[in-house]
Every structure is written in C-alpha cells, then in structure tokens.
Amino acid sequence: MTTTTAPLDVAALRADFPILARTIRDGRRLVYLDSGATSQRPRQVLDAERAFLETANAAVHRGAHQLAEEATDAYEGARATIAAFVGADPGELVFTKNATEGVNLVAYALGNSATSSLPGAARFRLGPGDEIVTTEMEHHANLVPWQELCERTGATLRWFGVTDDGRLDLSTLDSLVNERTKVVAFSHQSNVVGTVNPVEPIVARAREVGALTVLDACQSVPHRAVDFRSLGVDFAVFSGHKMLGPTGIGVLYGRRELLEAMPPFLTGGSMIELVTMEKTTFAPPPQRFEAGTPMTSQAVALAAAVDYLTAVGMDRIAAHEHELTEAALRGLGEIPGVRIVGPTEAVDRGGAVSFVIEGIHPHDAGQVLDSVGVEVRVGHHCAWPLHRRLGVPASVRASFYLYNDLDEVAALLDGVREAQRFFGVTGAA
Amino acid sequence: MQLQQMYQEIILDHYKNPHGRGLRDEYDAESFQVNPTCGDEVTLRVRLEGSGEAATVAEVSYDGQGCSISQASTSVLTDLVTGHTVAEAFGTMDAFVELMQSRGQLEPDEDVLEDAIAFAGVAKYPARVKCALLGWMAFKDAVARVADDTAPASSNGEHSNGVTTR
C-alpha cells in the first residue's frame, strides 16, 4: 500500500496519457505546460466515456426502458462520485456546459429572482444600492457576468485590489464587504499568477453581512483536495476539462437550501414539475437547473477522471506540483531579464507560473518555446484587468499538472534562454 | 529551422527599426484596433490628399504595443501604402490578406508586396495571422473613416466595437 506522501511515479502516470507520446514541430518531445488552460486525458477517462456509449447510452431521466435506467444510474452515479470528491451532497451539484455557464447560472438566477414567484426567491433580489464584490484578479468568467448583472439590476460592482506581488489586498475587507453587499465572487486560485486566496476570512466577513459567496474553483479542484462544505462557500464552480475530464461539462455547487429557493436560469424540458398552457412549476434541484438533455457521457467520463485523481491522491498531486513550481520559480528567477509576474515564492501558490522576458513579446517567446516543443499559454489568459494592474500587456504562462516532471521544467528554462539568444536580447548567460 | 522561416531578417529589421512609428499630429482619421486574444493594440492615423479611391495616401503613422509580427507588419504597411492611391493601397492590402490566409500555400508576388513577402512563413501559423493583419485592419478602418467623415467628425473620440475615431 502506498502512503499519501510517496512521490508520484510520473513515468508510469505518463503512460496513461496517449497524447504525451506524440511529438511536436520536427519531432520534438511534447512538453505540455498548458494544463491551466486544458488538461490532457488518461486512457481510463477515454475508455469510460466510450464504454458508456457502447453499452448504456440513452436519454436520462425519461423513458422506462432498460437502457434509460442504466444511463440514468450512470449519470446520477457520476454526480455522486464527483460530489463526494468536493465535499458535497449529490443534490448540491448541478452539471453545466462549463464553469463559465455555472457563474452565469447563478448571476441570471439572481436576476430572475426579481420576478420569480418561488417562495424564498426574495432573498436573492438585487437592485440599486446593493453591491457585488469581486476581485481584480479574476478570470473574465468571474467578472463579466457580475458586471452584466449590475447593468441589469442597478447594483454596483466593487472589487478587491491586488498587491504588487499578485496577492489579494484584503486590508479593505471590512469596508468593501458591508451591509450593502449581496454577493462576494472570488477565485480560489489565480489562473495567471497562481496565488491561493484565503477563503476563510472572506467567507466569515460575507456571512457577517449576509452576502452570498461564489468561489471560482477551476484552478484549485483539479490540483489539490478541496472540500466546499468545510470552506463554507455558498456556491462554487469548476470545469471538467481542467481535471483530466472532457470539455462540455462543468459543475456548479450550491448549498442545498439556496438551490431549493433559487429560480432557474434556463428553462424547458427536464426541469419541470407540472406544465399547463398557462403555467409551469419547477422540479427540485439539481434538475431545476439542468434544462434539456444533459451531457451524459461527459459526466460519466468526469467521474472516471475523479476516480483517477483519487487513486493517485490529491495530496500527492499537490506536493508534486509544488516541487515543480518551486523549481520553475527558482530557475526563471535565475535568468537575467526574466520577471515573474506574481508571487516569486511557492507559498500559498499553485502551479501556474507567469512571466515576461525583457525585450521579447510573450507571443514571440511562445513561438520560440513552441519550436522546441514546449507548449505554454501566451497573452492575458482571460485576466486582462490583472495584467493591467501588474503593469504588463501580456505574459507567458507555464502551468503544471501531475504528468509533468522536472525535465520539463528544465526544457522550459532552456527554451527561455533560446528565445533570448534568438532575439539577441542580453541576459542569456 | 521553422523559426527562421517565420522570423525572416526583414521582419526582425522592421521590428527593431520601425518605419512610420510615432503618431503625427496632422491626420484625417484614426483607428484603434486590439487583438482581444492577446491584448496587442495599434493606433493608426492616415492623412489623405484628394478624395475617393483616387485619393493619395499622404502619410500613415502609428503607435502600439505588440509582438514582432504585428509591429513589423505595420511598419511594412507604411512603406507599401504611402504615396499610393487608396485604390492601389487596397489592392496591396487584398494581396497581403490573401497571402496571410493561404496557410503558406501561396507564392507571394514580390512586385506587389515587396518586403511583405517576408510574412509568407507567418501564414503557416494560424494563431499569428491576426497579429500580421492588425495594422492593416486599422489602415482599412481609418481610410473608411476618412470617407465617412466628409460629414463632420466627432471631436473627442468615440469608442465603439473596439475602434476609436476622431
């Protein structure tokens, strides 16, 4: 039996991921450092999706035939597996198209509460004088829906600032989150600078003033053990494709009593209780929030991804990524002309490392890295305000996952030096 | 190998020693374009002499931030269009756009595109085509705005659809 602290056998893990065996541009080894954007999928996940489609595919929650029963069991079984993984009850988990849709679901449900006749919807209503608080660090997915909700309701958007080293500035917590605050939306871990935000004080303050909390957990759930109930957040979102699962599926977590009182976002089939030509009553959650035919094989595959991650062990994955992050921060810090954007120490920090190279635009740096097989993200990574705040128009981001190793960190560092050589920028030793 | 194909010497020269960079005060119309995927941006001004398609491009100037491809392409643009009629400039632009959208399958005509033939290698990288076209889209838009602005222009810059004019 392995202990939870045993280091990962990365070579063995890599054998599970067929794509990692391919080569890039003139036969270079693929060094995939873009898991923050989307992760690769192991054979076990691909097989689970195929097996479902080959043996049990049918529309769920309708039809009385055997296939429909088996498909429904697989779908609801997947929900239970994923719920247990994040410390939730199955009824508290809603499947969405992606995490972005999850945030929009909450934002639109709050907006819809203005005209909803559901008992209890009143607590979600927003209007002029109310405030929504977010942060300057957010992915656009946890910013734009709130801007739009403010537009529709007359509420005011406010936000936490970010310090020069890429941490949330919580010095204004007590004034920013006040009796006017209805929603506090923030990320668990920055997709750009890797900062892990302290959930506890924000949730505690939000509770004091009766505000709802919405956690963007897209960059935390795939990388370490996360328990929504013990974090105490009201809502949280994450996406399947960033955690070895498929695209086309995301998850919204909502505390049961909130989902029960909340009006729907999308309406139509599957989410109803009773329909007449005049009026419709809605199903209880989670079905109330899953209008239309859901993503069935994707849910099954996401549960297989959860099983895979659980078998490896989230604590071991977190420890492994910590080691890679430390090596990257140290190595990049030693290259003259490279500036790390965000925390330079691997403390309260996950495995997304963004940087700029003096004299080389991130696009050009990414092109050189690609030419040696190192696949990174370049641009503003859907967090334009954060880049503006940190004084860079764009950055290069390397992000790590369980299948990366120290050789790949070394390849990244070599690629950066190669970019400096190619563009004749001083700094390369 | 592929890297040299993309970053031709001509491109790197224009990147390091850009032509037409620095906004001129005298101009007829301005366009601001961004590449939303990366945040690169260019502000480009044109001054025309005459009117309609027969008008001559008297001066093009620009400022912006972006990668070597977007900046070099805009620099080459100023060389290719200045002193030509709008009709000729648009003809060159069409040839450049066609080259960039060819996925590297097109043999560029040096008589028409001059230094811009160096971007043929960029056309093999779909993600970078937008970079190469950023300045050209600004040029097209600015010229259209001159035509529109035979009616009086607004004095203080309007923002709509990511485009600024004045």
Side-chain angles (χ1 to χ4, degrees), chain B residues 33-162:
Chain B
Q33 299 285 328
V34 298
N35 182 348
T37 58
C38 63
D40 286 2
E41 54 186 55
V42 65
T43 302
L44 183 142
R45 292 175 175 178
V46 294
R47 185 163 61 80
L48 303 182
E49 279 167 6
S51 64
E53 292 254 302
T56 304
V57 180
E59 189 171 52
V60 178
S61 65
Y62 69 95
D63 205 353
Q65 57 181 26
C67 63
S68 58
I69 304 300
S70 71
Q71 299 304 298
S73 160
T74 311
S75 171
V76 169
L77 175 154
T78 66
D79 289 349
L80 286 181
V81 302
T82 308
H84 291 268
T85 65
V86 167
E88 287 165 348
F90 277 12
T92 307
M93 178 175 73
D94 289 344
F96 187 67
V97 171
E98 192 189 4
L99 172 66
M100 294 318 298
Q101 291 173 345
S102 73
R103 300 291 293 239
Q105 299 303 307
L106 202 74
E107 199 56 50
D109 182 347
E110 187 164 5
D111 291 340
V112 176
L113 288 174
E114 301 176 23
D115 275 4
I117 61 165
F119 290 84
V122 179
K124 291 179 188 153
Y125 295 84
R128 304 303 296 274
V129 169
K130 232 177 190 171
C131 309
L133 293 179
L134 190 67
W136 290 87
M137 293 305 108
F139 173 70
K140 185 184 182 183
D141 182 57
V143 171
R145 282 166 188 282
V146 180
D148 291 348
D149 287 3
T150 36
S154 66
S155 58
N156 57 348
E158 281 173 11
H159 292 259
S160 68
N161 300 324

Side-chain angles (χ1 to χ4, degrees), chain A residues 372-396:
Chain A
V372 294
V374 179
E375 313 290 78
V376 293
R377 176 91 182 259
V378 297
H380 51 58
H381 325 312
C382 299
W384 214 334
L386 177 60
H387 277 80
R388 227 173 260 128
R389 165 63 186 89
L390 296 174
V392 291
S395 62
V396 182

Side-chain angles (χ1 to χ4, degrees), chain A residues 25-26 359-361 363-365 367-368 370-371 377-381 384 393-394 418 422-424, chain B residues 1-4 6-7 12 15-16 34-40 65-69 125 128 131:
Chain A
R25 311 261 187 229
D26 293 339
I360 307 176
H361 189 277
H363 258 188
D364 295 321
Q367 200 77 53
V368 177
D370 175 56
S371 76
R377 176 91 182 259
V378 297
H380 51 58
H381 325 312
W384 214 334
E418 174 60 26
F422 185 80
F423 285 101
Chain B
M1 284 294 258
Q2 288 184 325
L3 215 52
Q4 273 83 4
M6 172 178 222
Y7 292 106
L12 295 176
Y15 179 46
K16 286 170 187 162
V34 298
N35 182 348
T37 58
C38 63
D40 286 2
Q65 57 181 26
C67 63
S68 58
I69 304 300
Y125 295 84
R128 304 303 296 274
C131 309

Side-chain angles (χ1 to χ4, degrees), chain A residues 199-209 213:
Chain A
V199 176
E200 192 190 341
I202 299 173
V203 166
R205 178 60 185 158
R207 278 187 177 162
E208 265 174 27
V209 301
T213 47

Side-chain angles (χ1 to χ4, degrees), chain A residues 121-250:
Chain A
R123 69 180 293 183
F124 297 110
R125 283 177 196 157
L126 285 155
D130 292 332
E131 295 177 357
I132 295 174
V133 174
T134 183
T135 89
E136 211 174 5
M137 186 187 283
E138 296 311 302
H139 188 287
H140 298 161
N142 202 26
L143 170 61
V144 183
W146 305 117
Q147 289 175 339
E148 292 296 300
L149 181 61
C150 286
E151 283 283 319
R152 293 195 297 274
T153 60
T156 302
L157 187 74
R158 303 184 70 191
W159 54 87
F160 290 102
V162 169
T163 64
D164 290 342
D165 66 343
R167 304 265 180 201
L168 270 194
D169 177 7
L170 291 181
S171 64
T172 56
L173 177 60
D174 286 348
S175 58
L176 198 57
V177 179
N178 57 49
E179 63 286 348
R180 295 184 299 277
T181 309
K182 297 294 180 202
V183 179
V184 183
F186 62 104
S187 55
H188 200 182
Q189 177 177 315
S190 163
N191 71 311
V192 176
V193 290
T195 311
V196 176
N197 292 318
V199 176
E200 192 190 341
I202 299 173
V203 166
R205 178 60 185 158
R207 278 187 177 162
E208 265 174 27
V209 301
L212 297 168
T213 47
V214 181
L215 187 73
D216 173 358
C218 284
Q219 299 289 338
S220 57
V221 164
H223 300 286
R224 62 177 181 280
V226 173
D227 186 306
F228 291 140
R229 195 173 296 124
S230 70
L231 286 174
V233 292
D234 293 314
F235 297 99
V237 299
F238 57 97
S239 53
H241 70 98
K242 293 189 200 293
M243 51 190 289
L244 313 184
T247 51
I249 188 162

